[in-house]
Amino acid sequence: MLRLIRGFEELALTLVKSGEITGGIHPYIGQEAVAVGVCAALRPQDVITSTHRGHGHVLAKGAAPDRLLAELLGRTTGLNKGRGGSMHAADFSLGILGANGMVGAGGPIAVGAAWSARQAGEDRVAVAFFGDGALNQGVLLESLNLAAMWRLPVLFVCENNGYATTLPAVTAVAGSATGRAAGFGIPAAEVDGMDTEAVRAAAAEAVERARTGGGPGFLECRTYRFEGHHTMERLMKLRYRTPEEIADWRDLDPLPRAAALLPPGLAAQVDASVAEQLAAARQFAITSEHPDPAGALDLLYADGLRPRAGSTA
Amino acid sequence: MRLSYTKALNRALTDALAQDPAVCVFGEDIGAGLAGPTLNLLDRFGPGRIVDTPLSEQAFTSMAIGAALSGRRPVIEFQIPSLLFLVFEQLVNQAHKFSLMTGGQASVPLTCLVPGSGSRDGWAGQHSDHPYSLFAHAGLKTVVPATPTDAYGLLRSAIADPDPVVVFAPAAALPVRETVTWELAPIPLGSARIHREGTDVTVVAIGHLVHDALAVAEELGPEISVEVFDPRTLHPFDWTALAASLDRTGRLVVIDDSNRSCGIGAEVLATAAEQMRLVAPPRRITRPDGTVLPFAPGLDRALQPQRDQLRDAVRAVLK
């Protein structure tokens, strides 16, 4: 899965560069251990809410790479029929309640899903992924309070990659991420977000506690994005991180670390199979149909209400 | 049966909760029933369905969205209309957009109930807005019932609707009572109601202003035949019924308790001018642009649409 996410993102980057993906993407490269570690601790019926940097979470929860890629290309075969794109990719059949373009917005939605599960007597757990930037969104802190007061089965996963776009977390987050959770009485742990196994172990513990009525948990995964905040950054030549810093984190790349745990030869086999899968995904996505502009607002209302046209001429 | 507007909302919630186990209610002070519509619901349906929330409007609104995405039909009661500004992100940017953004995978059957929208004497700047036009503009289904029967029927339909709906119960309509001799029933969203037929001029009145329009129509009765048209829902708006009304009268006055610029009154005039039969320039009576209601009662009233303004406007379109 690490390899799949990495390869998917690399493929997406080439498609951004060639202009086939419009609007750009927020690459997840470097952070794969978080999505893979957390989702490995989940059951199929568990649900997640994701972020603007959501491809990794969506794939790790089981979404089909060809349909995710088709979504990034705005095709009818995409997960969201080409209506959501990179920042809103969702697959409700797999409990993926959507990537979300608003920082911190997925937190309370996960809390609502957890509340529903508990009311229905199901032992479903909800996971909210968010970045360090979301730690300063009031709505996320309100969500921590609600989840803690009502002991809801939610796991809050902070992917602290050190930067909210270009703003360093060290200049933005007073106190600590885990300290904020602790302030609400939520058990919180800091994890090496470059180590898939460490993330998985910490997530498994928190998920088990939530599932058995122990209330919410909070993980701060210290990680790093090797690429820019958004692909636009490449064109702008922004300088807010030193090459040395990036190189230091690249030394901690979660992929070789995970590959080293595999039996000899298996890593190469995985690489080959992922390459094949992604080539097929690319072919599927690129040859898929574009949506008909006449249906641009087809899905705006669930009851099929047709809004008035913008022009009456 | 003598039915008050607030009691009608209470009955609508009670019936919806009794009929569909997916319905639940979130809000502040709803256990005690502070605003009226949720009175006694906690005793009857319990804390698993009537959820008294901490003062965290943004979180519990999105939480209700998460519940809606998980198969529930949440209703949120907002104690004051200005709280809607706080949760604009949750309603407009999340709830409204989910269906399209997810390619139709999800719908958000969420109802927001705002009892006491608009001016309540002496509640001043941050408690007196009547922001229905904003929601119609953003594309959320927007409902403003004028009478107890309509309040019951439209709230029932809002709760049953698969999309998010905001129901504004105007403060000035809450004291309205009605003798009801028929069985209360859901009323489809997007259907207007003509309270009084007329042949000279159509007055489109929204929410509590329907009652003012009826009073003015009565008063002008001997000299001018006024049709009082209540759209009941602002989005979707029953344009077909309005066109039919204007085919009869050819003249239009709108009375609307929202701000003038980009208010729903502006939309009614524009649509009528573009597409409908008008034999005289239309008029509208609204709050002024960018209104903030001042505290002093005389100042508050000075900025709200008045009956004498309506009377003058009706006379003006007939000249």
Side-chain angles (χ1 to χ4, degrees), chain A residues 67 71 79-81 83-85 88-93 96-102 105-106 108-117 119-120 138-139 142-143 145-146 149-150 152 296-305 307-308 312, chain B residues 24 26 47-49 51-60 62-72 89-90 93-94 96-108 138-141 161-163 235-236 239 267 271 274-275:
Chain A
R67 295 196 57 216
E71 187 57 34
L79 287 174
N80 306 23
K81 300 193 170 81
R83 267 65 172 186
H88 307 299
D91 189 335
F92 276 65
S93 71
I96 302 162
L97 303 188
N100 204 307
M102 305 309 293
I109 294 175
V111 170
W115 178 84
S116 292
Q119 294 306 319
V139 72
E142 291 179 18
S143 303
N145 182 58
L146 294 183
M149 283 305 300
W150 295 334
L152 296 175
L297 280 182
D298 271 357
L299 302 161
L300 185 59
Y301 297 98
D303 73 346
L305 172 67
R308 288 192 297 163
T312 55
Chain B
C24 51
F26 291 88
R49 298 181 67 194
V51 186
D52 234 335
T53 57
L55 310 191
S56 307
E57 292 84 10
Q58 300 190 14
F60 71 64
S62 260
M63 184 187 161
I65 294 168
L69 293 172
S70 311
R72 304 299 294 256
E89 135 71 13
Q90 283 72 28
N93 222 8
Q94 306 289 339
H96 173 54
K97 293 183 178 174
F98 251 87
S99 175
L100 184 128
M101 288 196 310
T102 62
Q105 291 178 65
S107 72
V108 181
L140 277 101
K141 294 178 181 176
D161 199 275
D163 292 308
H235 183 74
W239 297 113
E267 182 54 41
T271 298
E274 274 184 328
Q275 299 171 15

Side-chain angles (χ1 to χ4, degrees), chain A residues 110-309:
Chain A
V111 170
W115 178 84
S116 292
R118 203 192 46 196
Q119 294 306 319
E122 293 162 0
D123 65 354
R124 200 186 288 260
V125 170
V127 174
F129 288 101
F130 52 90
D132 46 280
L135 290 170
N136 292 324
Q137 292 283 11
V139 72
L140 187 82
L141 301 174
E142 291 179 18
S143 303
L144 294 175
N145 182 58
L146 294 183
M149 283 305 300
W150 295 334
R151 293 183 72 78
L152 296 175
V154 192
L155 177 58
F156 295 96
V157 178
C158 175
E159 287 183 277
N160 186 349
N161 66 16
Y163 294 87
T165 309
T166 64
L167 184 71
V170 289
T171 68
V173 181
S176 66
T178 49
R180 289 182 186 196
F184 293 102
I186 298 176
E190 195 185 312
V191 193
D192 178 357
M194 307 303 273
D195 180 343
T196 315
E197 284 307 311
V199 174
R200 192 192 54 74
E205 188 187 325
V207 164
E208 178 58 21
R209 190 177 54 240
R211 206 185 296 288
T212 51
F218 186 104
L219 293 185
E220 182 195 8
C221 303
R222 303 296 289 260
T223 183
Y224 200 77
R225 56 172 158 75
F226 297 165
E227 296 287 322
H229 163 70
H230 182 269
T231 41
M232 190 91 83
E233 215 178 290
R234 290 185 168 191
L235 307 173
M236 298 173 70
K237 300 196 168 57
L238 297 182
R239 282 177 173 271
Y240 59 94
R241 312 189 291 184
T242 61
E244 294 76 26
E245 179 183 301
I246 299 172
D248 285 350
W249 278 93
R250 275 190 184 275
D251 287 342
L252 302 173
D253 191 331
L255 264 67
R257 224 152 144 181
L261 299 177
L262 297 177
L266 187 56
Q269 223 174 305
V270 169
D271 287 357
S273 124
V274 164
E276 204 173 296
Q277 200 180 355
L278 290 174
R282 184 180 192 282
Q283 181 66 16
F284 171 83
I286 282 185
T287 57
S288 286
E289 267 183 56
H290 292 275
D292 177 359
L297 280 182
D298 271 357
L299 302 161
L300 185 59
Y301 297 98
D303 73 346
L305 172 67
R306 304 295 309 205
R308 288 192 297 163

